[in-house]
Amino acid sequence: MTRTEEFEELRPLLFSIAYRILGGVSEAEDAVQETWLRFEASPTEPRSAKAFLSATVTRLSIDVLRSARVRRESYVGPWFPEPLLDDPYEDPERAAELADSVSMAALLLLERLSPLERAVFVLREVFDFGFPEVASAVGRSEAACRQLAVRARRHMAAGRPRFEADRREREELASRFFDALHEGDVAALRDLLAADVTLVGDGGGKAPQLARAILGADNVARLLGSVVERLSQAGVTFTPHEVNGQPGAVFHDRDGQVLHTFALDVLDGRINAVRIVINPDKLAHLGPVADAWAIDREIRARRRARDRG
């Protein structure tokens, strides 16, 4: 097998490691590409291509994450990971576990960890690397990595909900949610939402976004009903689609360009959180991006015309 073939075989794993460490599709793709360049330029043949490539992409991702955290300190509004519609790394026996590890909720929990803790957790807990491999990848002793893993697991466990829905329950609930959303049925939406549901948007200051998080089933249901009605009048449609391994949807303008994504968290038989990514910089990997400001202006103009009667 040539180096190119070895790399292409491992590319899905490398991207999945990098994305979970970084929370960004474009950053993960850049880390994978740089990993290939270093692999291609290596004068010696690694004993294990998987070990070499995994270690390289991990170290690159740690370096990028350290600088990214400085940028995120000045980010406008809530920060969410770039939405991932399809995880290229497939393992049928661990499909549900891998989907949970890439969810918005899990990635936001990972934000609480230091870059080293995050890398160790991803390699050890998500991809089941042995501690010798983890130690080699992050450049620390096995003992240090075990301590990092313990701390990371403790932080992650402290933030996880007490009960998580199974996959079928999530899918059934999401189907009912998006049917109600399509119909603008506020009462049906309210019935599907947890009493303390949160709706939060990430526009990064580059698109219209909520001034604050919306809390409570009544408030969220009314907002969703009214917003989707106005979007529909402006030619916006949505298609249910898994987002970060969880139920979600992708919204498009009348020209088929991506406007934003929805990702749902399900807990105890209700939708516990709705996370919207509308920052155009985080949507570019999904295709041409809609002009959210233009749609907002159209909606406001329609509202003014209606109010004038």
Side-chain angles (χ1 to χ4, degrees):
M1 184 181 293
T2 66
R3 283 195 180 188
T4 301
E5 290 170 336
E6 285 183 306
F7 178 80
E8 289 303 325
E9 184 176 278
L10 290 164
R11 182 191 287 271
L13 171 63
L14 302 178
F15 173 85
S16 296
I17 290 172
Y19 178 77
R20 284 165 173 82
I21 294 175
L22 292 167
V25 172
S26 55
E27 290 174 330
E29 289 174 341
D30 288 345
V32 171
Q33 181 60 26
E34 179 61 25
T35 297
W36 159 247
L37 294 176
R38 296 191 183 192
F39 184 47
E40 184 183 39
S42 176
T44 59
E45 192 68 31
R47 284 185 296 177
S48 167
K50 179 182 177 182
F52 176 89
L53 293 169
S54 300
T56 302
V57 82
T58 297
R59 291 172 185 171
L60 288 168
S61 297
I62 290 171
D63 289 343
V64 173
L65 181 59
R66 285 172 172 151
S67 61
R69 290 203 162 184
V70 175
R71 297 195 302 273
R72 289 173 195 174
E73 289 176 359
S74 59
Y75 194 81
V76 178
W79 179 92
F80 291 155
E82 291 183 14
L84 182 68
L85 301 190
D86 298 291
D87 187 351
Y89 184 71
E90 297 180 357
D91 183 343
E93 293 183 359
R94 301 180 61 235
E97 184 180 353
L98 288 168
D100 287 344
S101 74
V102 82
S103 69
M104 287 278 184
L107 292 174
L108 289 171
L109 281 177
L110 284 169
E111 283 291 303
R112 302 180 182 185
L113 308 182
S114 71
L116 277 178
E117 287 173 343
R118 186 164 180 163
V120 168
F121 184 88
V122 167
L123 293 176
R124 177 63 182 169
E125 302 299 323
V126 179
F127 294 102
D128 202 28
F129 279 49
F131 276 110
E133 297 172 288
V134 175
S136 174
V138 302
R140 295 292 188 275
S141 68
E142 288 186 42
C145 288
R146 290 180 188 277
Q147 288 300 313
L148 288 166
V150 168
R151 290 203 299 269
R153 283 195 296 267
R154 185 167 60 243
H155 288 307
M156 294 294 287
R160 287 190 183 279
R162 63 189 181 280
F163 174 77
E164 295 180 342
D166 66 30
R167 194 169 190 83
R168 179 175 295 180
E169 180 184 358
R170 286 195 301 239
E171 291 171 352
E172 290 176 352
L173 187 62
S175 177
R176 292 162 57 199
F177 173 85
F178 286 117
D179 284 346
L181 191 65
H182 184 267
E183 297 298 325
D185 190 336
V186 173
L189 286 170
R190 186 186 301 112
D191 289 342
L192 298 171
L193 300 172
D196 59 351
V197 64
T198 304
L199 185 151
V200 188
D202 173 354
K206 299 184 177 184
Q209 66 185 71
L210 299 170
R212 55 182 175 80
I214 307 301
L215 307 175
D218 287 341
N219 294 331
V220 171
R222 285 198 300 269
L223 179 68
L224 286 174
S226 63
V227 167
V228 170
E229 179 183 4
R230 294 196 296 269
L231 289 174
S232 177
Q233 293 170 354
V236 174
T237 59
F238 69 86
T239 305
H241 195 294
E242 275 198 355
V243 176
N244 288 78
Q246 309 299 310
V250 182
F251 286 66
H252 295 87
D253 69 3
R254 59 170 58 92
D255 297 319
Q257 300 179 112
V258 178
L259 176 62
H260 59 249
T261 61
F262 268 31
L264 308 180
D265 278 359
V266 176
L267 177 68
D268 290 344
R270 291 288 186 273
I271 292 165
N272 190 57
V274 182
R275 296 188 176 92
I276 304 172
V277 176
I278 194 169
N279 183 340
D281 294 345
K282 295 187 175 183
L283 301 171
H285 64 283
L286 302 181
V289 179
D291 185 342
W293 293 112
I295 292 172
D296 184 64
R297 289 193 295 272
E298 179 180 342
I299 289 172
R300 291 176 185 274
R302 287 175 178 273
R303 188 188 304 169
R304 288 194 297 270
R306 182 196 63 198
D307 292 343
R308 287 196 297 267

